Every structure is written in C-alpha cells, then in structure tokens.
Amino acid sequence: MTKYLYALLLLLTAPVIASETLAPEQVAGAVTINTATAKLLFDKGFIFVDVRKQEDYERSHIPGARHLSVNGEYFTVENLRAIVEKRDTVVFYCNGIHCMGSSKASQKAAEWGWQKILYYREGIQGWEKAGYAVNQS
C-alpha cells in the first residue's frame, strides 16, 4: 500500500515540480521576445548579453553577444553599464525556457533603471534550433 501511495504522490507533484523549473513568460519591466524577433534585432545590430556561465558562453554563443554572468558578484550596475547604457536597448538571453538567468538579469536591469529591456526567453536553445549561427571557442 505504501508503494502505491508514494507513486500517487509522485504523479500528483510532478507537474508542480516541472512547472517551477520553467522561466517566467513575462518579466516586469521587460518585453518578452521570441526567436524570430531576436534574429531581426540581431540583424539590426542590437546588443545581446549572454548571462550564462563562462563555460557555456565559451562553448557557444550568439555572434557578437557580450558575456556577463548573472550568477555571482559580476552582475552589477557598473558592469552592465560598461556593456550597454541605460538609454539603449538590451537583449538578455541564457540557455532557454528552463534557465532562469535571463529573467533574473532582466528583472535586475529593470530595478536598476534600464527601460528598453528585451527578454529572450527561448535563449541559445531557440537560436540553435532555428539554425542560426553561433560562435564557438
């Protein structure tokens, strides 16, 4: 009986656990964009910021994307401003919909006064899935 109860509990909690690992669809102060829009912005020369770990960035990143990991002490107002001024548009991305990095970066940038924030939720996974070029080290 205990084995069945445990299985039932797992079945009932699995959707809740899975939904908690998804990045939010919206971030206050940012506009969520999809891969097609990200590509249009890329082609127009907008600033992309990859907020993943250094190893992930080195493995592959959107060409020309700047790196500023959201985890740790490096994601500061000063370091972000060294990449993009508050008056300019910035596109944040990470590993995709299961990565919270770009939502965290977008939220922080909004708190710090950036107003033209684009949250690329689909991230590098969406970019690569669409067949767009990446830089690799």
Side-chain angles (χ1 to χ4, degrees):
M1 181 74 162
T2 310
K3 183 168 48 171
Y4 295 111
L5 186 58
Y6 180 71
L8 180 61
L9 181 62
L10 279 177
L11 279 172
L12 293 174
T13 59
V16 173
I17 293 168
S19 67
E20 290 177 7
T21 63
L22 291 178
E25 292 183 18
Q26 302 291 324
V27 174
V31 174
T32 303
I33 61 170
N34 62 19
T35 298
T37 303
K39 179 65 163 95
L40 289 171
L41 296 168
F42 170 81
D43 289 343
K44 292 183 182 232
F46 281 81
I47 298 168
F48 281 66
V49 178
D50 186 321
V51 298
R52 300 174 300 152
K53 296 183 291 189
Q54 182 70 33
E55 305 85 55
D56 291 340
Y57 176 81
E58 289 173 1
R59 189 173 19 261
S60 69
H61 59 272
I62 295 173
R66 302 291 302 273
H67 180 252
L68 183 59
S69 178
V70 73
N71 295 319
E73 66 217 39
Y74 299 107
F75 199 80
T76 64
V77 172
E78 295 79 19
N79 289 341
L80 182 56
R81 194 180 332 219
I83 294 172
V84 60
E85 291 293 328
K86 286 186 177 186
R87 69 181 178 276
D88 296 329
T89 302
V90 59
V91 179
F92 290 111
Y93 76 92
C94 60
N95 280 321
I97 64 169
H98 294 283
C99 177
M100 299 298 285
S102 56
S103 63
K104 289 178 185 177
S106 296
Q107 181 180 11
K108 277 292 196 193
E111 290 171 7
W112 294 335
W114 270 261
Q115 296 181 1
K116 299 176 185 175
I117 303 164
L118 301 174
Y119 165 47
Y120 180 28
R121 182 175 182 255
E122 296 167 10
I124 194 74
Q125 286 184 349
W127 189 266
E128 289 178 332
K129 184 177 179 183
Y132 299 134
V134 295
N135 283 359
Q136 298 173 330
S137 298

